[in-house]
Amino acid sequence: MRHLHTRTARRRTVAVLTALLFAMPGAAPVAAADEEAPGSPALADGLALTPPMGFNNWNSTHCRAEFNEAMVKGIADLFVEKGLKDAGYQYVNLDDCWALPSRDADGKLVPDPARFPNGIKAVADYVHSKGLKLGIYTSAGTKTCNSAGFPGALGHEYSDARQFADWGVDYLKYDNCNNQGVDAEQRYTTMRDALKATGRPIVYSICEWGQNKPWEWAADVGHLWRTTGDISDTWGSMLSILKQNLPLAPHAGPGHWNDPDMLEVGNGGMTDTEYRSHFSMWSVMAAPLLIGSDLRTASDETFAILGNKEVIAVDQDPLGKQGSVVSSEGGRWVVAKEMKDGSRTVALFNESGSPQRIATTAAAVGLPGADAYTLRDLWKHRSYNTAGTISATVPAHGTVLVRVSADRRWQQHPPAVELGLEGTPLVEAGTPARLTTTLTDLGRTPARQVSVRLTGPEGWAVKATSPTAAGALSTGRSLRTKWSLTPPQGAPTGSYDLTLKASYRSPSGVRVDDTLPFTATVVVPPPSGTSGLGDLPWLSAANGYGPVERNTSNGESAAGDGHPITIGGVVYAKGLGVHAESSVEYYTGAACETVTAEVGVDDEKGANGTVAFQVWADGTEVASTGVLTNAMPAQPLTADVTGARLVRLVVTDGGDGIDSDHADWADARLSC
């Protein structure tokens, strides 16, 4: 399928090895990245020796009239003006809708004269004049993926490749629609040969959505291959694709890359924290970095994320290793990437909706033994020394990205410290809540003159009930401070920002200031009796496509676009409509006993959907279904949540990738 997520055309995405990866408490060791990938050697043409970096217009403009020559030239200008070219971005890529719906009398492709009045070559010449490269799109079928049906290249491979080369095209994205059932390897190999015959160096992007496991056969066919279906601008979609792409690390390398689809950074469907995670994890996975947001209206923060040269250097490291999973228990991910200089880049990624401590060691990520290590924080742009522990309290949906090396220069840097939280910052208005903060010295050298301060919103009473300072902390020692938090009476429910501020000095007297921002949530216990979950406020909701819907099915796009919840021909007036991967969390305040629901795949999705349902209470799974399909009637699900403060409703893809996975929590009820 293509970048525009259609409800009827979504293809089955592969999750090979994913089930194995997540069936165990810890995932495959980092050494797995050193295994030789099966299959043919990479193309020996010197192209894409590091993952391609650039821009593709589809996610921001689709086929709208604004996609035209002026826009494309403007993107090239912005690459230069905003420093993206200097950061390594090269390709300005046209997606679908650049051509007329019919070929000319000679069977040649015709650029749309309304969009590109001077033709594609003129655009390529302009892009080249900026020191950049131009990419173009077509499909390995009779038509492209757009509903208007622009001409595809099946049966025209050599003619189309010749046109692309004559226009000065440097990159081809080759999609998978309307392929007439022709063998994928055959279709994509034919275009490889056609591109080679032109004599022009053209990076070749295979976009067959991972349907035919291209990582097993395409290393000598293309330079990159899509491993999944299309990404959308949601946390659930990004997370699902991340999990499908991570196990494929052994198949990536210089000139042949796993492609988990374009970047959504800046499109508005996720928070800046989530976008930093997106960018961090794509870089650790050595994924192509193709900007999918509209750079004409992008925020300063979007440019700051996309232009982080230290993170980009991870993606572009010439060794070409994709990061491998070290551990993933409880949604606390450690992914490590071997670098050419012998260092390791380590991503501490928090999948969950609350802050989590995520920890590993230098030995666990493959570094040799040493007295101490230099640890470089790639988002804070600061260096520290560590005795070997790599850990942080990572915000919900956040990522701490560090580069760790065993070298003697560690003594130049102050000790790393970890700021942490103990207890869940859920508070009721007017009622004191207890929270403990920690500051721990991870370094080989002591932290001196240590102090902490906690600040909260205006009107909140924030008071330390134990010491906030220490003269010195040696390796592994902590300053633990207890706090009382009281939001004002009548404070509305919702999330409020707090910040733990820390200060300490290195042995040489250098002052270091650090912060741990986090949120406290004002909550209200659910009412006594039985309530419909579709009517209660939730703490957080993540969804694969579109928002979670109250009392309707999932419509995949905007809130309120769902339909009546229907499973097995039975219509339900109440419940939740979601799309895998999905997680909806409620505050139950230790006052509730049971969750009940009738669960299944919504009838609106035909025969494709397969999902599994889970109920979690305070981090423990208390009820689950097996894999459910559209052919099955609603299944009753009952979970004992007695004494739990938090209840989470989870829907997974059933282990086979995302394909029309519309899931209903029909008649979902909470008894308190």
Side-chain angles (χ1 to χ4, degrees), residues 27-89:
V30 70
D34 296 329
E35 297 172 5
E36 288 296 323
S40 303
L43 292 168
D45 55 13
L47 297 178
L49 296 181
T50 60
M53 296 175 60
F55 166 87
N56 180 293
N57 68 282
W58 185 259
N59 285 353
S60 57
T61 69
H62 300 299
C63 206
R64 295 191 295 269
E66 63 186 301
F67 168 50
N68 57 30
E69 179 176 320
M71 178 213 162
V72 175
K73 290 181 176 180
I75 295 297
D77 293 340
L78 284 169
F79 266 38
V80 177
E81 293 168 13
K82 295 293 187 177
L84 294 174
K85 176 186 173 184
D86 288 342
Y89 293 91

Side-chain angles (χ1 to χ4, degrees), residues 50-60 75-76 78-79 84-85 87-94 127 131-135 171 203 224 259 261-265 279 282 287-295 303 306-307 312 315-316:
T50 60
M53 296 175 60
F55 166 87
N56 180 293
N57 68 282
W58 185 259
N59 285 353
S60 57
I75 295 297
L78 284 169
F79 266 38
L84 294 174
K85 176 186 173 184
Y89 293 91
Q90 285 186 296
Y91 295 96
V92 179
N93 293 347
L94 317 182
V127 170
L132 302 169
K133 298 179 179 180
L134 185 80
Y171 181 112
V203 169
L224 58 153
D259 178 9
D261 206 2
M262 295 182 293
L263 295 167
E264 292 284 3
V265 175
F279 195 68
W282 260 233
L289 300 180
L290 294 173
I291 299 167
S293 54
D294 191 341
L295 294 176
F303 280 110
L306 295 172
I312 290 170
D315 181 82
Q316 295 291 296

Side-chain angles (χ1 to χ4, degrees), residues 58 96 106 133 183 190 295 315 365 390 404 464 530 538 622 629 642 649 662:
W58 185 259
D96 207 351
D106 297 322
K133 298 179 179 180
D183 175 74
T190 300
L295 294 176
D315 181 82
V365 301
I390 305 165
V404 187
T530 300
W538 53 59
V622 293
T629 71
T642 303
L649 310 183
H662 286 215

